[in-house]
Amino acid sequence: MKLIIAIVQREDASRLQHAFIRENIRATKLATTGGFLSQGNTTFIVGIDNEHVQEVLRLIKTESKSREEYMNPNMVMTGFDISSQPIKITVGGATCFVLPVEEFKQF
Ligand code: 2BA
């Protein structure tokens, strides 16, 4: 068994959630915040049998789009909005980690 941790943009989250339900894939949805942009994103955790890992990753890839965001570099460095040129950043589609699961129990 594996644990997939998938960080997606919130615009894609509900579509991906519905795709998981449609494909009978069990998932937990967490409201999270990106450490760099401080914008809300969504993290799904999915416990899945080894043979279905690629299917889940394919689904995440299909439902996640990359987007361009603009941010003020000074806001990240100082926390204050000192006027400067915004820089363009490409976010996503999805950032995924696949971890081994030592034990899975439901009581
Ligand atoms: P954020 O940390 O808010 O990052 C948003 C986007 O900003 C990133 O998109 C990337 O394009 C850019 N970025 C992040 N850190 C940067 C840095 N130090 N210098 C320059 N640009 C930077 P993505 O790479 O697609 O990441 C989207 C979200 O996925 C991230 O939101 C974060 O929540 C998560 N993430 C990405 N890589 C991660 C990692 N290695 N570990 C944990 N979470 C990660």
Side-chain angles (χ1 to χ4, degrees), residues 49-90:
D49 291 334
N50 290 345
E51 62 264 33
H52 292 117
V53 168
Q54 292 310 318
E55 176 193 337
V56 174
L57 292 175
R58 257 197 313 276
L59 203 59
I60 295 168
K61 187 176 178 187
T62 304
E63 302 297 345
S64 306
K65 312 264 175 289
S66 70
R67 294 180 180 84
E68 290 181 342
E69 301 276 343
Y70 287 87
M71 54 94 63
N72 182 334
N74 284 328
M75 281 198 74
V76 171
M77 305 303 288
T78 66
F80 295 102
D81 188 5
I82 302 164
S83 63
S84 64
Q85 289 294 343
I87 55 169
K88 189 165 78 174
I89 287 175
T90 304

Side-chain angles (χ1 to χ4, degrees), residues 7-8 32-39 41 89-95 97:
I7 302 157
V8 302
T32 48
T33 304
F36 190 66
L37 291 182
S38 290
Q39 287 181 0
N41 53 27
I89 287 175
T90 304
V91 186
T95 300
F97 302 88

Side-chain angles (χ1 to χ4, degrees), residues 5-56:
I5 301 175
I7 302 157
V8 302
Q9 292 179 69
R10 60 183 157 191
E11 292 88 339
D12 298 324
S14 131
R15 214 177 40 248
L16 181 56
Q17 181 182 8
H18 288 114
F20 283 150
I21 293 168
R22 192 181 62 236
E23 301 298 327
N24 201 23
I25 294 162
R26 296 188 180 199
T28 296
K29 185 180 168 194
L30 307 170
T32 48
T33 304
F36 190 66
L37 291 182
S38 290
Q39 287 181 0
N41 53 27
T42 300
T43 299
F44 287 93
I45 55 175
V46 181
I48 193 83
D49 291 334
N50 290 345
E51 62 264 33
H52 292 117
V53 168
Q54 292 310 318
E55 176 193 337
V56 174

